[in-house]
Amino acid sequence: MTLRLRLLNLWLQRVEKPWLARVPEPAEARRSFERAARLLFPDPPGALYLEDRLGAIPALWASAGCGTGGPEIILYFHGGGYVMGSPQTHKAMLARLSRLTGRAACLPDYRKAPETPFPAAVEDARAAWEALLARGYDPARIVLGGDSAGGGLALALLGMLCRAGADLPAGLFALSPWTDLTLSGASLDRNAEIDRLLPANRVTELRDYYVGAADPSDPRASPLFGRYPGCPPVFLQAARTEILHDDVARMAERLRAEGARVTFDLWEDLPHVWPIFQGTLPEADAALARVARFVDGRLTPE
């Protein structure tokens, strides 16, 4: 483990140990994550945030340097284990991505477990997509995105659209997505002592909050087990040291088996969803730059 990663892990544990080391009551976890976001995730220059509603779903538009009125957008689902997180915790990262791409990002505030367990979040993801299309957005000019649980949610939505033969987005990017709620990935154990940002001992509890009595292998919950006919290009990013490494690696293999064009952007020795530390961690800025190139490639005419 590099010195930078050791220092980052120690700093994170000192700042918000309850959020990182265990799953407290959902209300406490949410407050802790919101506090951590305000402390750790700086807004980029020129950040602009605008509240909205996508039907019944609250949403936040995040941009920097481009406003929120363009025809090409990023529809982004935040992480937080389906229990915590919000557009507020992830808005700075998406504002920086907006500055890099020249496109605004829309972040739905989907319903959380345990108050509203599966399939509430994926139903909200589909509803947010359909609300944007009802406003006149061209699906071929939308890129889906998400991180951790939100990355799984974006992939679940993509699978639903592919299987339904519906209009598809231009592409999808997912940062350290949680794709297998059956928890069969070997990296959950292999990297348990390394990935301190998402401790392995919290994952089963988070899964149970969300899935409850439902089947965790349902592809709407675990996109790893879905089908993706006609899938557009996908960009997956993870670090070899994450407990969800195998979720991402196997997702890449699954999509390639379906004929999709997949970029698996694999990094070394970094914590879960490290791009969220944009503006603080050089590797976060470099990782977001790679995401931006993918978004540009999907939305810029050839």
Side-chain angles (χ1 to χ4, degrees), residues 54 56 73 81 98 105 121 136 160 189 220 235 243 246 266 273 276:
L54 301 176
I73 63 169
S98 171
M160 292 167 62
D189 292 327
R220 297 172 301 162
F235 179 95
I243 62 171
D246 287 8
L266 183 61
V273 193
I276 203 167

Side-chain angles (χ1 to χ4, degrees), residues 2 5 18 24 36 41 49-50 71 81 151 166 190 201 248 255 261 267 288 302:
T2 65
L5 183 53
F41 312 145
Y49 305 115
L50 178 65
R190 186 177 68 247
N201 62 5
V248 189
L255 291 170
R261 190 165 83 239
W267 292 61
L288 275 185
E302 296 181 0

Side-chain angles (χ1 to χ4, degrees), residues 9-232:
N9 283 334
L10 289 170
W11 180 39
L12 289 169
Q13 290 178 72
R14 290 184 64 186
V15 170
E16 286 294 330
K17 189 173 182 180
W19 164 48
L20 299 166
R22 63 184 178 87
V23 181
E25 289 301 311
E28 181 189 346
R30 292 165 190 160
R31 289 192 298 269
S32 184
F33 197 0
E34 297 288 335
R35 288 195 300 268
R38 290 193 294 270
L39 286 169
L40 301 176
F41 312 145
D43 289 332
L48 174 66
Y49 305 115
L50 178 65
E51 294 183 355
D52 195 3
R53 295 192 73 85
L54 301 176
I57 305 165
L60 185 75
W61 290 88
S63 66
C66 65
T68 58
E72 298 176 342
I73 63 169
I74 299 164
L75 175 59
Y76 191 87
F77 300 99
H78 69 80
Y82 296 107
V83 170
M84 62 192 115
S86 72
Q88 294 295 325
T89 57
H90 287 66
K91 64 183 183 180
M93 178 172 66
L94 272 297
R96 187 171 296 272
L97 185 59
S98 171
R99 175 167 287 282
L100 292 170
T101 63
R103 282 97 176 179
C106 181
L107 291 78
D109 193 5
Y110 57 87
R111 289 172 291 172
K112 309 297 188 301
E115 295 87 349
T116 48
F118 174 81
V122 74
E123 290 174 346
D124 285 358
R126 182 69 179 267
W129 167 263
E130 292 177 349
L132 289 172
L133 268 55
R135 289 189 184 182
Y137 284 98
D138 180 351
R141 304 179 82 178
I142 301 174
V143 170
L144 297 180
D147 67 277
S148 196
L153 194 56
L155 286 160
L157 172 60
L158 180 62
M160 292 167 62
L161 296 174
C162 288
R163 293 189 292 275
D167 290 333
L168 298 176
L172 177 148
F173 67 91
L175 315 177
S176 309
W178 192 11
T179 70
D180 176 14
L181 273 63
T182 71
L183 309 182
S184 65
S187 59
L188 286 169
D189 292 327
R190 186 177 68 247
N191 290 338
E193 297 302 316
I194 304 172
D195 187 354
R196 301 303 299 275
L197 188 56
L198 183 57
N201 62 5
R202 74 186 295 179
V203 174
T204 300
E205 190 173 356
L206 288 169
R207 188 274 307 273
D208 291 347
Y209 269 140
Y210 179 52
V211 174
D215 181 2
S217 67
D218 186 318
R220 297 172 301 162
S222 294
L224 179 62
F225 305 115
R227 299 239 18 252
Y228 298 84
C231 184

